[in-house]
Amino acid sequence: MNRWLADPDLLIRNRIPKDLPPLRPAASQEDALMVARGENGEPLVPITGVEVKRCYAEIDFTEMPPQAMLRAGLLDRIQRAQTALPEGFTIVVLDGWRTRDFQGELLNYYRDLSGGDMGLFVSDPSWSQRMLPHVSGGAVDLTLAVDGVPVAMGSDFDVFDESSFLLAFEDVPDDGDPARLLAKDLRRLLGKVLVDAGCAPYPLEWWHWSYGDQLWAAFAGESVTLYSEIDD
């Protein structure tokens, strides 16, 4: 398994605001499936204004898009979220829009690596009712960088177990393990700036956020998505 992100220095916690609110739970998969699909025609655009670390470029994929792209509305919200971070903290995009073929290639890669079913960790292109978030261009994988170094936040990127769950560290007490407390604070910091900018979380992966897809619509109380899949 690749190691993507650095473990943060525990002293980073002294630079994180102390009054961050608890993370708001993500919408349920059941509620997301009730959202109808719409499309507002917003374009895919190259990712600018935030750092990009294309983790999957380190693997020999054949279907990976040549350029990192997102829907314009999602990129605008990520850029806005970054401006709300404390000094020395920035956002790093790890992955954005995927073609359906690349989504399938990624799923097969992780199935082979794990030797089993990936459940809802990696979307299956054969799904019919559930939208493929990354294929819509409305989903992004990201993390925080501290002084330019992209950091793990309780788990590395693409670690598919309970440590990656959005709320995995929400119940850590104030006198708990320092590394777990730092993970809680980092996730709360990222979550606050992204939710304030209009993005929605994913329950199983702290790094996955979206705008315009089914989970975002359910989180925001909307009945129709802004985006559908783009498979150019």
Side-chain angles (χ1 to χ4, degrees), residues 21 31 42 44 52 54-55 57 70 73-74 88 94 99 104 106 111 116 123-124 127 150-151 158 176 184 194 208 218:
D31 287 344
E42 197 172 272
L44 281 171
V52 177
R54 302 195 78 191
C55 292
L70 292 171
L74 174 55
L94 306 175
T99 63
L106 193 64
R111 278 177 172 168
S123 298
D124 187 334
W127 291 341
V151 296
D158 273 7
K184 178 171 77 169
L194 287 170
H208 179 115

Side-chain angles (χ1 to χ4, degrees), residues 6 12 73 76-77 80 89 102 123 127 133 168 170 191 204-205 210:
I12 289 172
D76 175 70
R77 282 157 178 79
R80 275 193 269 151
F89 290 78
F102 180 51
S123 298
W127 291 341
E170 273 298 298
L204 303 184
E205 299 170 350
S210 66

Side-chain angles (χ1 to χ4, degrees), residues 210-230:
S210 66
Y211 172 76
D213 68 346
Q214 285 176 312
L215 271 171
W216 165 83
F219 186 79
E222 302 289 342
S223 59
V224 181
T225 68
L226 300 177
Y227 308 145
S228 293
E229 287 97 335
I230 299 176

Side-chain angles (χ1 to χ4, degrees), residues 12-230:
I12 289 172
R13 191 162 182 247
N14 296 328
R15 300 166 57 183
I16 300 174
K18 306 303 182 188
D19 57 348
L20 293 169
L23 284 167
R24 179 179 161 190
S28 70
Q29 297 291 335
E30 293 74 20
D31 287 344
L33 290 176
M34 299 297 293
V35 176
R37 301 189 191 197
E39 174 56 62
N40 68 3
E42 197 172 272
L44 281 171
V45 295
I47 297 175
T48 59
V50 295
E51 183 182 348
V52 177
K53 174 183 170 66
R54 302 195 78 191
C55 292
Y56 297 140
E58 301 175 22
I59 302 172
D60 190 23
F61 288 123
T62 61
E63 301 296 338
M64 182 177 173
Q67 186 174 24
M69 304 182 78
L70 292 171
R71 293 279 193 146
L74 174 55
L75 178 58
D76 175 70
R77 282 157 178 79
I78 296 170
Q79 292 168 340
R80 275 193 269 151
Q82 180 166 255
T83 66
L85 289 169
E87 184 177 358
F89 290 78
T90 54
I91 287 175
V92 180
V93 170
L94 306 175
D95 192 42
W97 171 70
R98 303 170 187 163
T99 63
R100 185 175 289 270
D101 286 345
F102 180 51
Q103 183 67 47
E105 186 179 31
L106 193 64
L107 175 62
N108 290 333
Y109 171 81
Y110 277 120
R111 278 177 172 168
D112 291 345
L113 201 63
S114 67
D117 179 54
M118 294 306 299
L120 295 177
F121 281 113
V122 183
S123 298
D124 187 334
S126 69
W127 291 341
S128 58
Q129 189 177 5
R130 181 176 285 110
M131 178 185 290
L132 301 175
H134 281 278
V135 180
S136 76
V140 63
D141 296 334
L142 46 72
T143 190
L144 292 173
V146 184
D147 300 328
V149 179
V151 296
M153 295 165 56
S155 81
D156 201 6
F157 171 56
D158 273 7
V159 170
F160 301 121
D161 61 31
E162 291 185 1
S163 67
S164 73
F165 290 1
L166 177 71
L167 304 181
F169 298 94
E170 273 298 298
D171 292 334
V172 177
D174 291 343
D175 60 351
D177 176 73
R180 293 169 62 85
L181 283 168
L182 176 57
K184 178 171 77 169
D185 287 352
L186 286 169
R187 292 188 188 191
R188 284 186 173 185
L189 175 60
L190 182 64
K192 175 171 173 47
V193 298
L194 287 170
V195 169
D196 286 353
C199 297
Y202 186 64
L204 303 184
E205 299 170 350
W206 61 262
W207 58 82
H208 179 115
W209 290 78
S210 66
Y211 172 76
D213 68 346
Q214 285 176 312
L215 271 171
W216 165 83
F219 186 79
E222 302 289 342
S223 59
V224 181
T225 68
L226 300 177
Y227 308 145
S228 293
E229 287 97 335
I230 299 176

